[in-house]
Amino acid sequence: MITNTELEYKGNLYPNKIVDFRQDTDKLYFTTENGVILQITVMRNSTIRFRYATGHTFEPDFSYAVSENASRGYNRLEVTETDSEYYIETTRVKILVDKASLRTQISDLEGNILNEDEIGFHWEENYQYGGNTVKMSKITQTGESFYGMGDKATHLNLKGKRVNNWVMDQYAYGKDQEPLYKAIPFYIGLNKNRAYGIFFDNSFRSYFDFAHERRNATSFWADGGEMNYYFFYGPEMSKVVRLYTDLTGTPELPPLWALGYHQSKWSYFPESRVKEIAKQFRDLRIPCDAIYLDIDYMDGFRCFTWDKNHFPEPKRMMKELKEDGFKTVVMIDPGIKIDKDYWVYREAMEKGYFCRRGDGPYMHGKVWPGECNFPDFTNPEVREWWAELYKEFMAEMGVDAVWNDMNEPAVMEVPGKTAPLDTRHNFDGHPCTHRKAHNIYGMQMVRATYEGVKKYVYPKRPFVITRAAFSGTQRYASTWTGDNVATWEHLWIANVQMQRMCMSGYSFVGSDIGGFAEQPNGELFARWIQLGVFHPFCRVHSSGDHGDQEPWSFGDEVTDIVRKFIELRYQLLPYLYTMFYKYVNDGIPMLQSLVHFDQEDNQTHFRTDEFIFGDHILVCPVQEPNAQGRRMYIPRGKWYNFWTEEVVDGGLEKWVPAELDEIPLFIKEGAIIPKYPVQQYVGEVELEELVLDLYYKEGVELSSVYEDSQEGFDYTQGKYSLRKFKLIGKPKQLIVQQYKDGAFTTPYESFRFNLHGLPFKIVEIEIDNEKVALKDLKLNGDNSLTVSKNFTELHITGK
């Protein structure tokens, strides 16, 4: 007998009326008649967590994204009830929960609606895999803009876009292509000068629709797991980004050399070629701190091995490179070659550390070594084992840093280019399939790598790089944006991706300068270097299939331009290091999109090209061939042209000349920019003084410079130097006040102030209320003066 087994209902399900409410300190529980529970947790005054369960049951509360050091605590939490709603109030926001539908509305204390459910939470049972597809829709307010979401290769403002999060190897990806290498499900909404953020903490494949399908609705959903999101209120975008970054964490300070210029290729081999590249950098006096070894240094692409034909004595080679100022960075991939004579494979098999398929066999796939198995990095035991594999490389042989690639994981010649979805994972004691673990696989690999590198380069600081990432991966590694292309369009994409990543809590980021696939001409390479030196991670990397891409590969003119800009980066290292300090300690993005810098100016809301490097430097790359300049938007305020020292008024679009050897570059008035001398690598030159480029302003401006030993962990015990400067400019007077914190003693004893734009001739100088003879300050005709680094207040009076 055949019966009709069709399920009674397929489609969206919705919460109905609330029948129960209870409060447990900072957690509020609202239960509906049909078994939906909304848990609202007040994390901070401006950070609220919303978590939904169906069938009366929450999943285990576990997250790889949320930092264990995330801040908690609030000042006030009040709950009131009416016939139709519950009202929740903190010192920053009000939350309304509708009794009939469980929909929520969030407003500021003045009653301005910040974020409001449209359909709100709903779900659909997944009959194929079990569990639910969880969904949320919000009302898109008129004029609302959207930002964030990591490395999306699309316009900075996401209004009208749909994106999805599924980390994927995308060789030679194009503009607007989805998805890419990162999954960072965090966005910022901005409307009527009020900004908020939403982080959807769900590791399944997720989707975000920013008024694309329906103009009045913004929605996000995931293929499984819980509807679990955090709401952050500004109203400043900068505060939203800081709150999200606090929740998901920041890295430790890197060694200073990691912020220098790095040279890479697929691949530099044999040893003689590596030495040739190193020698050419030093002969041409082009600064460089690191050379990268791609997969061809390995024995048959087996991780943690060396090809003894190409690199017969790697320990000696790396020692000799180090003597010439070069660090060595090596690649490690997740795929372990299936080879019973290969010690890494044998160990993992004996311990049962490889991922298995749903019915028991080991998951395997083809990568560079051929057939490979893949460690389950979601298992704490596997991470601990993986970390120990770095001992010989780091502690005994002298490798300085590690680069994790292909860790999406990328698997060749299979649909989807990754592990089958039935692959099983430990997930730190919460067993699941690859549907849930895929987006965090690369994150957990680089987490294990970070722990191993940190242990075995100690007492130095670790430096690790990853291609794949999920929210929170910034705690463990820097990153780059994957296999881009040597085109002008990709120069634009790289610029937008860096700004978006920094706005998404992940500042230690760069692109493959010049493009990985295909080959740039000299003009494109020069323009890309000019942009890349203003990105936190600065590395040229290219595919050997497409020709040479070293700084000297395009003729003398381009070589000179490249050298000029790399030297500028090395001069700005103390400024860049201070940016990194602010990112680590305060969650401040190292690059600011103009909308982040000045959200009150509506002209910034759709700008993509211009950005702020740190606090005080405005950069705008030239992104078209044969250009002798470009139009760009100057933010509000006054700015000094870096090349001409012309002062321009902002708040307008302006033509800026920029021949091939220049990039539009402006300094905010009042800034004090610290500079080091040009050096061929970090640590080559003993610092005799710190140069401070001071740009006069009538008014007040704050600047700072952070310094420490550049390596090691003494800075965590107070051995650092943080100098804060307050500039006060008047028509006939300039005052600089200095506040010093930290116990580190810098090697230099004096500052050399270069005074730019001073509107008067200096007639008198006082240091800490004592007049000083001008000749004693080495006052030069170019408005520069040398003073002791220990002053508290400097008065410069003119006529």
Side-chain angles (χ1 to χ4, degrees), residues 264-291:
S264 181
K265 188 185 188 70
W266 179 30
S267 285
Y268 287 134
F269 69 93
E271 177 185 328
S272 58
R273 178 61 175 154
V274 176
K275 289 293 193 67
E276 178 187 335
I277 294 293
K279 183 176 186 301
Q280 193 78 332
F281 271 104
R282 298 299 179 241
D283 288 349
L284 292 173
R285 304 291 293 168
I286 299 173
C288 181
D289 261 284
I291 292 180

Short mmCIF file of all heavy atoms in Angstrom, two decimals, residues 264-291:
data_model
loop_
_atom_site.label_atom_id
_atom_site.label_comp_id
_atom_site.label_asym_id
_atom_site.label_seq_id
_atom_site.Cartn_x
_atom_site.Cartn_y
_atom_site.Cartn_z
N SER A 264 57.91 38.57 -2.22
CA SER A 264 57.48 37.18 -2.34
C SER A 264 57.23 36.85 -3.80
O SER A 264 57.07 37.73 -4.65
CB SER A 264 56.19 36.96 -1.52
OG SER A 264 55.76 35.63 -1.58
N LYS A 265 57.20 35.55 -4.08
CA LYS A 265 56.89 35.05 -5.41
C LYS A 265 56.57 33.57 -5.30
O LYS A 265 57.05 32.87 -4.40
CB LYS A 265 58.09 35.24 -6.34
CG LYS A 265 57.82 34.94 -7.81
CD LYS A 265 59.12 35.06 -8.61
CE LYS A 265 58.86 34.97 -10.10
NZ LYS A 265 58.17 36.14 -10.61
N TRP A 266 55.75 33.11 -6.24
CA TRP A 266 55.54 31.68 -6.40
C TRP A 266 56.39 31.24 -7.59
O TRP A 266 55.95 31.31 -8.70
CB TRP A 266 54.07 31.38 -6.63
CG TRP A 266 53.78 29.92 -6.81
CD1 TRP A 266 54.46 28.87 -6.29
CD2 TRP A 266 52.73 29.35 -7.61
NE1 TRP A 266 53.90 27.67 -6.69
CE2 TRP A 266 52.83 27.95 -7.51
CE3 TRP A 266 51.70 29.90 -8.39
CZ2 TRP A 266 51.95 27.09 -8.18
CZ3 TRP A 266 50.83 29.04 -9.04
CH2 TRP A 266 50.95 27.65 -8.94
N SER A 267 57.65 30.80 -7.37
CA SER A 267 58.38 30.64 -6.12
C SER A 267 59.82 31.07 -6.34
O SER A 267 60.32 31.00 -7.46
CB SER A 267 58.44 29.17 -5.70
OG SER A 267 57.27 28.66 -5.17
N TYR A 268 60.48 31.46 -5.26
CA TYR A 268 61.92 31.72 -5.30
C TYR A 268 62.67 30.43 -4.96
O TYR A 268 62.64 29.96 -3.82
CB TYR A 268 62.30 32.82 -4.31
CG TYR A 268 61.87 34.21 -4.75
CD1 TYR A 268 61.24 35.07 -3.86
CD2 TYR A 268 62.10 34.65 -6.05
CE1 TYR A 268 60.85 36.35 -4.25
CE2 TYR A 268 61.70 35.92 -6.45
CZ TYR A 268 61.07 36.76 -5.54
OH TYR A 268 60.68 38.02 -5.94
N PHE A 269 63.32 29.84 -5.93
CA PHE A 269 64.17 28.68 -5.71
C PHE A 269 65.06 28.55 -6.94
O PHE A 269 64.73 29.07 -8.02
CB PHE A 269 63.35 27.40 -5.49
CG PHE A 269 62.61 26.90 -6.72
CD1 PHE A 269 63.18 25.96 -7.57
CD2 PHE A 269 61.35 27.40 -7.04
CE1 PHE A 269 62.51 25.52 -8.71
CE2 PHE A 269 60.67 26.95 -8.18
CZ PHE A 269 61.26 26.02 -9.01
N PRO A 270 66.24 27.93 -6.81
CA PRO A 270 66.84 27.33 -5.61
C PRO A 270 67.46 28.42 -4.72
O PRO A 270 67.20 29.61 -4.92
CB PRO A 270 67.91 26.41 -6.21
CG PRO A 270 68.34 27.13 -7.44
CD PRO A 270 67.11 27.76 -8.00
N GLU A 271 68.33 27.98 -3.80
CA GLU A 271 68.98 28.91 -2.88
C GLU A 271 69.68 30.04 -3.61
O GLU A 271 69.62 31.20 -3.20
CB GLU A 271 69.97 28.17 -1.98
CG GLU A 271 70.73 29.10 -1.04
CD GLU A 271 71.81 28.40 -0.24
OE1 GLU A 271 71.63 27.20 0.08
OE2 GLU A 271 72.82 29.04 0.07
N SER A 272 70.34 29.73 -4.72
CA SER A 272 71.09 30.75 -5.45
C SER A 272 70.18 31.87 -5.91
O SER A 272 70.58 33.05 -5.93
CB SER A 272 71.82 30.12 -6.64
OG SER A 272 70.90 29.49 -7.51
N ARG A 273 68.94 31.54 -6.29
CA ARG A 273 68.00 32.57 -6.72
C ARG A 273 67.57 33.43 -5.53
O ARG A 273 67.44 34.66 -5.65
CB ARG A 273 66.77 31.91 -7.35
CG ARG A 273 65.68 32.88 -7.81
CD ARG A 273 66.17 33.84 -8.86
NE ARG A 273 65.08 34.68 -9.36
CZ ARG A 273 65.25 35.88 -9.87
NH1 ARG A 273 66.48 36.39 -9.98
NH2 ARG A 273 64.23 36.58 -10.32
N VAL A 274 67.34 32.82 -4.38
CA VAL A 274 66.99 33.59 -3.18
C VAL A 274 68.11 34.56 -2.84
O VAL A 274 67.88 35.76 -2.58
CB VAL A 274 66.71 32.64 -2.00
CG1 VAL A 274 66.45 33.43 -0.72
CG2 VAL A 274 65.54 31.72 -2.30
N LYS A 275 69.35 34.08 -2.88
CA LYS A 275 70.50 34.94 -2.57
C LYS A 275 70.64 36.06 -3.60
O LYS A 275 71.02 37.20 -3.27
CB LYS A 275 71.78 34.09 -2.53
CG LYS A 275 71.87 33.14 -1.34
CD LYS A 275 72.00 33.93 -0.04
CE LYS A 275 72.41 33.05 1.12
NZ LYS A 275 73.76 32.50 1.01
N GLU A 276 70.36 35.75 -4.84
CA GLU A 276 70.44 36.76 -5.90
C GLU A 276 69.44 37.89 -5.66
O GLU A 276 69.76 39.08 -5.82
CB GLU A 276 70.18 36.09 -7.24
CG GLU A 276 70.18 37.01 -8.44
CD GLU A 276 69.74 36.29 -9.70
OE1 GLU A 276 69.87 35.06 -9.79
OE2 GLU A 276 69.22 36.99 -10.61
N ILE A 277 68.19 37.50 -5.27
CA ILE A 277 67.17 38.51 -4.98
C ILE A 277 67.61 39.38 -3.80
O ILE A 277 67.52 40.62 -3.84
CB ILE A 277 65.82 37.82 -4.66
CG1 ILE A 277 65.28 37.10 -5.90
CG2 ILE A 277 64.80 38.82 -4.13
CD1 ILE A 277 64.88 38.00 -7.04
N ALA A 278 68.10 38.75 -2.76
CA ALA A 278 68.54 39.49 -1.57
C ALA A 278 69.67 40.45 -1.92
O ALA A 278 69.67 41.62 -1.50
CB ALA A 278 68.99 38.51 -0.48
N LYS A 279 70.63 39.99 -2.69
CA LYS A 279 71.77 40.84 -3.07
C LYS A 279 71.33 42.04 -3.90
O LYS A 279 71.82 43.16 -3.70
CB LYS A 279 72.80 40.02 -3.84
CG LYS A 279 74.06 40.78 -4.23
CD LYS A 279 75.06 39.87 -4.91
CE LYS A 279 76.39 40.58 -5.17
NZ LYS A 279 76.21 41.79 -6.01
N GLN A 280 70.37 41.80 -4.78
CA GLN A 280 69.91 42.90 -5.63
C GLN A 280 69.23 44.00 -4.81
O GLN A 280 69.41 45.19 -5.08
CB GLN A 280 68.94 42.36 -6.69
CG GLN A 280 68.63 43.32 -7.82
CD GLN A 280 69.73 43.41 -8.86
OE1 GLN A 280 70.90 43.18 -8.54
NE2 GLN A 280 69.36 43.74 -10.08
N PHE A 281 68.47 43.62 -3.80
CA PHE A 281 67.87 44.64 -2.92
C PHE A 281 68.95 45.49 -2.27
O PHE A 281 68.86 46.72 -2.25
CB PHE A 281 67.01 43.97 -1.83
CG PHE A 281 65.59 43.76 -2.23
CD1 PHE A 281 65.12 42.50 -2.58
CD2 PHE A 281 64.70 44.82 -2.26
CE1 PHE A 281 63.80 42.30 -2.96
CE2 PHE A 281 63.37 44.64 -2.63
CZ PHE A 281 62.93 43.37 -2.99
N ARG A 282 69.97 44.85 -1.75
CA ARG A 282 71.01 45.62 -1.06
C ARG A 282 71.86 46.42 -2.04
O ARG A 282 72.23 47.58 -1.76
CB ARG A 282 71.88 44.67 -0.22
CG ARG A 282 71.12 43.93 0.89
CD ARG A 282 70.50 44.88 1.90
NE ARG A 282 69.77 44.17 2.95
CZ ARG A 282 68.47 44.31 3.19
NH1 ARG A 282 67.75 45.13 2.46
NH2 ARG A 282 67.89 43.64 4.18
N ASP A 283 72.16 45.85 -3.20
CA ASP A 283 72.97 46.58 -4.19
C ASP A 283 72.25 47.83 -4.69
O ASP A 283 72.87 48.87 -4.91
CB ASP A 283 73.31 45.67 -5.37
CG ASP A 283 74.33 44.61 -5.03
OD1 ASP A 283 74.93 44.69 -3.94
OD2 ASP A 283 74.52 43.68 -5.84
N LEU A 284 70.93 47.72 -4.87
CA LEU A 284 70.16 48.84 -5.39
C LEU A 284 69.66 49.77 -4.28
O LEU A 284 68.98 50.76 -4.57
CB LEU A 284 68.96 48.32 -6.20
CG LEU A 284 69.31 47.61 -7.52
CD1 LEU A 284 68.06 47.01 -8.15
CD2 LEU A 284 69.98 48.58 -8.49
N ARG A 285 69.97 49.44 -3.04
CA ARG A 285 69.58 50.25 -1.89
C ARG A 285 68.05 50.43 -1.86
O ARG A 285 67.52 51.53 -1.65
CB ARG A 285 70.27 51.62 -1.91
CG ARG A 285 71.78 51.57 -1.97
CD ARG A 285 72.39 51.04 -0.68
NE ARG A 285 72.18 51.94 0.46
CZ ARG A 285 72.42 51.60 1.72
NH1 ARG A 285 72.85 50.38 2.03
NH2 ARG A 285 72.21 52.48 2.69
N ILE A 286 67.32 49.32 -2.02
CA ILE A 286 65.87 49.31 -1.88
C ILE A 286 65.56 48.58 -0.57
O ILE A 286 65.85 47.39 -0.44
CB ILE A 286 65.19 48.60 -3.06
CG1 ILE A 286 65.52 49.32 -4.37
CG2 ILE A 286 63.69 48.52 -2.85
CD1 ILE A 286 65.03 48.59 -5.61
N PRO A 287 64.99 49.26 0.42
CA PRO A 287 64.74 48.62 1.72
C PRO A 287 63.84 47.39 1.59
O PRO A 287 62.88 47.37 0.83
CB PRO A 287 64.06 49.72 2.53
CG PRO A 287 64.51 51.00 1.90
CD PRO A 287 64.62 50.70 0.44
N CYS A 288 64.18 46.37 2.35
CA CYS A 288 63.37 45.14 2.38
C CYS A 288 63.70 44.37 3.65
O CYS A 288 64.87 44.26 4.03
CB CYS A 288 63.67 44.27 1.16
SG CYS A 288 62.69 42.74 1.08
N ASP A 289 62.66 43.83 4.31
CA ASP A 289 62.84 43.13 5.58
C ASP A 289 62.61 41.64 5.50
O ASP A 289 63.02 40.92 6.41
CB ASP A 289 61.91 43.72 6.65
CG ASP A 289 62.63 44.70 7.55
OD1 ASP A 289 63.38 44.24 8.42
OD2 ASP A 289 62.47 45.92 7.36
N ALA A 290 61.93 41.15 4.46
CA ALA A 290 61.58 39.73 4.46
C ALA A 290 61.51 39.18 3.04
O ALA A 290 61.05 39.87 2.12
CB ALA A 290 60.25 39.50 5.17
N ILE A 291 61.95 37.95 2.89
CA ILE A 291 61.81 37.21 1.65
C ILE A 291 60.99 35.95 1.94
O ILE A 291 61.22 35.27 2.95
CB ILE A 291 63.18 36.85 1.05
CG1 ILE A 291 63.88 38.14 0.58
CG2 ILE A 291 63.03 35.88 -0.12
CD1 ILE A 291 65.25 37.91 -0.02
#
